[in-house]
Amino acid sequence: MTDTATRLASIRESIASAARLARREPNEVTLVAVTKTRSSQEIEALLAAGQRHFGENRVQEVEAKWPSLRARYPDVQLHCIGRLQSNKADAAVALFDVIHSLDRPTLLDALVTASAKAGRVPQVYVQVNIGEEEQKGGVALADLPAFLDQVRASPLPLAGLMAMPPIGVEPSSYFALLAKLARRHDVIGLSMGMSGDFRAAVMLGATVVRIGSAFFENPAAT
Ligand SMILES: *Cc1c(COP(=O)(O)O)cnc(C)c1O
């Protein structure tokens, strides 16, 4: 196996063992490989190893890296995991299959307009500002119910909730809170868990984990 294939297999095995501990099926969890700032060659190695879901956070970077890769791997699914400006909605709808960072009515409107124009409808996750941090994206907890109603009344399919816990704090209580919000609002998908905390996220119900550095960085250094 190549180095990349070995890492992919070991991350998949960690996800599967966390799922089994929680009496979940490993195939309930989608692994998104986060390739922001990574080269086409690094992405190519993951594609060759069988990975198909990828996360990126910059429209321009996706426009530069992905058209030629997509042409050769048409079954790739691209996930937008970064803050999205409303004026990039047309490009985002053209490039991404799934958007994890929907967090405000103006962006919802822009995406609805863009998808009607393009005849292409991305799935959306509503990003929740789970730690109520001023500098972070995500809808405020108090605004979540009304915003979910708005998304449900739109043509965009609501896939779930997404969150990033505050840095430097034990993340499990935030994952549990996001799972509770999803149950309360009858939302199925939970996009939570990154390189440092995806096992806990899977045990607490993540259906999508977004993993970057664990693919690319020396484990001894992280
Ligand atoms: C960069 C990023 C990730 C991946 O983080 P790692 O710690 O490198 O696994 C996941 N989600 C979002 C929103 C990110 O920006």
Side-chain angles (χ1 to χ4, degrees):
M1 278 208 282
T2 62
D3 194 37
T4 303
T6 307
R7 285 213 182 182
L8 178 59
S10 115
I11 291 168
R12 284 198 180 136
E13 184 43 43
S14 296
I15 292 169
S17 70
R20 284 190 294 264
L21 269 176
R23 303 295 185 267
R24 303 183 62 207
E25 291 296 325
N27 65 11
E28 290 170 28
V29 186
T30 299
L31 167 58
V32 173
V34 176
T35 48
K36 63 186 185 208
T37 76
R38 302 295 166 181
S39 68
S40 299
Q41 287 83 343
E42 288 173 296
I43 295 170
E44 185 90 52
L46 279 166
L47 285 162
Q51 177 64 24
R52 287 297 180 269
H53 289 268
F54 291 87
E56 293 276 354
N57 65 355
R58 286 224 166 77
V59 162
Q60 272 175 314
E61 194 181 329
V62 175
E63 283 169 340
K65 289 194 304 200
W66 277 97
S68 57
L69 293 168
R70 268 234 207 224
R72 280 184 294 131
Y73 297 92
D75 56 341
V76 155
Q77 295 273 300
L78 279 185
H79 297 250
C80 175
I81 59 164
R83 222 174 213 187
L84 200 49
Q85 290 170 293
S86 297
N87 64 13
K88 299 263 171 71
D90 284 326
V93 164
L95 296 167
F96 291 110
D97 304 287
V98 188
I99 292 173
H100 292 245
S101 47
L102 175 57
D103 65 354
R104 57 195 191 279
T106 48
L107 180 58
L108 174 63
D109 291 344
L111 290 172
V112 167
T113 305
S115 70
K117 243 194 304 181
R120 210 181 120 83
V121 186
Q123 290 188 41
V124 294
Y125 287 79
V126 167
Q127 183 175 351
V128 181
N129 188 347
I130 198 82
E132 311 208 80
E133 296 172 282
E134 228 161 71
Q135 75 286 6
K136 268 229 180 110
V139 62
L141 292 175
D143 299 333
L144 180 62
F147 189 53
L148 285 174
D149 287 344
Q150 269 182 280
V151 176
R152 283 189 160 124
S154 85
L156 304 185
L158 174 63
L161 302 181
M162 180 275 216
M164 279 188 291
I167 290 167
V169 187
E170 213 288 306
S172 292
S173 52
Y174 295 97
F175 294 149
L177 175 57
L178 194 71
K180 181 170 146 184
L181 292 169
R183 281 195 302 276
R184 181 183 297 161
H185 296 291
D186 276 322
V187 178
I188 308 265
L190 279 174
S191 169
M192 60 186 195
M194 321 201 303
S195 293
D197 55 21
F198 68 88
R199 293 169 193 80
V202 168
M203 291 193 67
L204 289 163
T207 61
V208 180
V209 291
R210 309 175 311 265
I211 296 181
S213 44
F215 279 109
F216 304 105
E217 278 159 31
N218 182 351
T222 53

